Amino acid sequence: MKRMIVQDSSNAERGREGVFCLIIPTYNEGENVESLVKRIEQVELKLPFQFNLIFVDDNSKDGTAEVIKALMQENRWIKLIQRPKPTGLGSAYLDGFAYAIDKFNADFVGEMDADLQHPPETLVDMCNTIVGRKVDVVLGSRYVPGGGASGWSLGRRIISRGANSLSKIFLRVPVADSTTGFRIIRASTARSLFDHDLSAKGYAFQVESLYVYKQNGARFAEVPYNFETRKAGKTKLDWKEIFRFAGVTIKTGIVGVRRKKEGSVDLSDNKSALSEPSPVTE
Ligand SMILES: Nc1nc2c(ncn2[C@@H]2O[C@H](COP(=O)(O)OP(=O)(O)O)[C@@H](O)[C@H]2O)c(=O)[nH]1
Ligand SMILES: [Mg+2]
């Protein structure tokens, strides 16, 4: 299926500073999503945007999608993309971005974990920064003054610092925390991803995408936040993903990310699980 970018007239009534779609990928996060949505409810009205929350669930075995569907009954701004099997964090974000831009004509898209490691309250600062400082990418950052990580094992600290150093050396993106998964991106900048042949479907998407944004002249800002301990469930970051991350970072630093041939931007042609149109529940 070819999905082209279309103007969505339903956004004609948008108020404030535009439309913001926050994408949250989920795999077995059933114990987290309810408290997550409660926290987001508290901040949603403080955001200077018309707001949508888009979950991308990969057929979680713990009933995450059912919990989300129940939450959708009370919150019209919650949407759900259901995919047939775990296909990686990066591909979930690409599908979420495509849906946000295609369906909601989003001006801004966001990334956040479902496990409450990223405090939703920081979204207010991040949204105000992207508008007020006229930048293209705002990162929630652990490595600027005021930021940090609580309850992390030594091993996890070393992995995070090591990944950041690797990306500093190879990708030279001018930010302190290039592996953070807490972000807001101007949609015009996020769209540049669809013009490129990204190789990462998993966690390495985070650094590969930053590299593409930098190549496209994006301006960056960082907002400090404290990376909290996961509220429930287990991390999906394993050694396989860590090695893939290192491989993609080094490869990207050496050969870059290839631009696709000239032509219209096709949001479904993103190497992700959207070879079949993903069933979307609204
Ligand atoms: N849909 C989807 N979500 C994923 C996948 N892998 C990780 N996630 C989600 O991505 C977010 C980040 O993963 P997490 O395990 O918290 O990584 P960590 O914070 O680095 O330990 C969480 O909300 C996960 O549920 C995947 O393959 N598909
Ligand atoms: Mg997490």
Side-chain angles (χ1 to χ4, degrees), residues 24-29 56-58 83 85-89 92-93 112-115 117-118 156 201 203 227 230 234-237:
I24 302 189
T26 54
Y27 189 64
N28 292 340
E29 302 287 2
V56 184
D57 185 66
D58 279 357
R83 308 194 306 173
K85 61 178 195 306
T87 319
L89 177 76
Y93 277 128
M112 194 163 105
D113 279 15
D115 52 14
Q117 291 193 286
H118 300 142
R156 197 58 209 265
K201 288 192 175 182
Y203 285 72
F227 190 76
R230 175 177 257 284
K234 287 198 198 108
T235 180
K236 279 91 210 172
L237 180 67

Side-chain angles (χ1 to χ4, degrees), residues 3 6 8 10-11 98-106 282:
R3 281 206 288 161
V6 290
D8 182 352
S10 68
N11 283 324
Y99 185 61
I101 295 170
D102 188 8
K103 172 84 178 166
F104 296 105
N105 202 18
E282 287 181 63

Side-chain angles (χ1 to χ4, degrees), residues 65-105:
E66 282 59 46
V67 182
I68 294 170
K69 282 178 193 166
L71 292 163
M72 288 166 77
Q73 304 299 317
E74 290 153 35
N75 291 286
R76 287 191 53 78
W77 40 261
I78 301 180
K79 315 288 170 192
L80 171 63
I81 299 175
Q82 292 185 274
R83 308 194 306 173
K85 61 178 195 306
T87 319
L89 177 76
S91 89
Y93 277 128
L94 283 176
D95 283 351
F97 291 175
Y99 185 61
I101 295 170
D102 188 8
K103 172 84 178 166
F104 296 105
N105 202 18

Side-chain angles (χ1 to χ4, degrees), residues 89 152-164 166-167 179 200-205 207 235-251:
L89 177 76
W152 248 8
S153 65
L154 180 64
R156 197 58 209 265
R157 274 175 206 281
I158 292 171
I159 289 167
S160 176
R161 285 286 186 182
N164 260 288
L166 199 67
S167 110
T179 60
K201 288 192 175 182
Y203 285 72
F205 166 80
V207 286
T235 180
K236 279 91 210 172
L237 180 67
D238 55 20
W239 282 106
K240 206 164 77 185
E241 281 293 334
I242 292 168
F243 285 120
R244 271 201 200 127
F245 174 93
V248 171
T249 307
I250 294 167
K251 184 191 128 199

